[in-house]
Amino acid sequence: SRASMTIMLVYMVSDGSITPYGYAAYQGASSVPALLMPLYAGQLLTVHGYWPVALVCILLAFLGQLIFAISLSIGESFWVGVFGQLVFGAGACCVTVAQRALISSRAGDRASFAMGAVVSIACVARLMGKIGTAPLAQAVGNYKVAPYMCSLFCLMSFFAGYATWRAEVRKDELKI
């Protein structure tokens, strides 16, 4: 989502729906939660465990992205878009904390490799967001569909995470 925003700036400024300052507000809004949310997320992880917290945070990221997409589609709702970016940023930040906590607790002597793999996967996702947004906008004829695709990816991540969690629970049940 954040990766596609770079490309969307060109479209948003060219059609007059936003100024560069407004774009900076969107970008900043998704980053602000990273200042405090990791502390809160760490405590949630300790109390509730990795999977429930990660899945709720993925849903939070999905909701924020969907709010942003709707606000962009409607137009004239800049502050709703900023709110959507705040919600997205909070969810995405907590997911990152959950990923890293899971790796540090389970990877053992392979933690460095596992962390490197997660960072590489995140870089591939950013690359895909950057190179996929403009062709998608051109193919559909409207750049405002891109945030909906990002919402869809968040939702797909939720279902993949849920399936992984259930498989892990099932594996643990079979050991008993």
Side-chain angles (χ1 to χ4, degrees), residues 47-63:
V47 172
H48 299 288
Y50 303 109
W51 289 111
V53 172
L55 291 174
V56 167
C57 291
I58 290 171
L59 283 178
L60 196 61
F62 164 72
L63 180 63

Side-chain angles (χ1 to χ4, degrees), residues 28-130:
S30 67
S31 299
V32 166
L35 300 173
L36 297 174
M37 288 304 292
L39 303 172
Y40 183 65
Q43 292 196 358
L44 286 175
L45 290 165
T46 301
V47 172
H48 299 288
Y50 303 109
W51 289 111
V53 172
L55 291 174
V56 167
C57 291
I58 290 171
L59 283 178
L60 196 61
F62 164 72
L63 180 63
Q65 187 61 36
L66 188 60
I67 290 169
F68 174 72
I70 291 169
S71 77
L72 191 63
S73 295
I74 293 171
E76 305 301 323
S77 52
F78 173 76
W79 293 110
V80 174
V82 169
F83 174 73
Q85 287 296 318
L86 277 167
V87 173
F88 170 79
C93 175
C94 291
V95 169
T96 302
V97 171
Q99 285 175 332
R100 292 178 182 168
L102 183 64
I103 289 169
S104 68
S105 70
R106 296 189 181 176
D109 62 345
R110 295 179 300 261
S112 296
F113 173 77
M115 193 64 73
V118 167
V119 170
S120 292
I121 291 167
C123 288
V124 168
R126 276 193 295 278
L127 175 67
M128 298 306 291
K130 288 179 181 180

Side-chain angles (χ1 to χ4, degrees), residues 133-156:
T133 303
L136 174 66
Q138 294 296 325
V140 176
N142 189 345
Y143 73 90
K144 295 178 181 181
V145 76
Y148 287 103
M149 292 304 297
C150 295
S151 298
L152 179 62
F153 291 139
C154 287
L155 195 58
M156 290 169 41

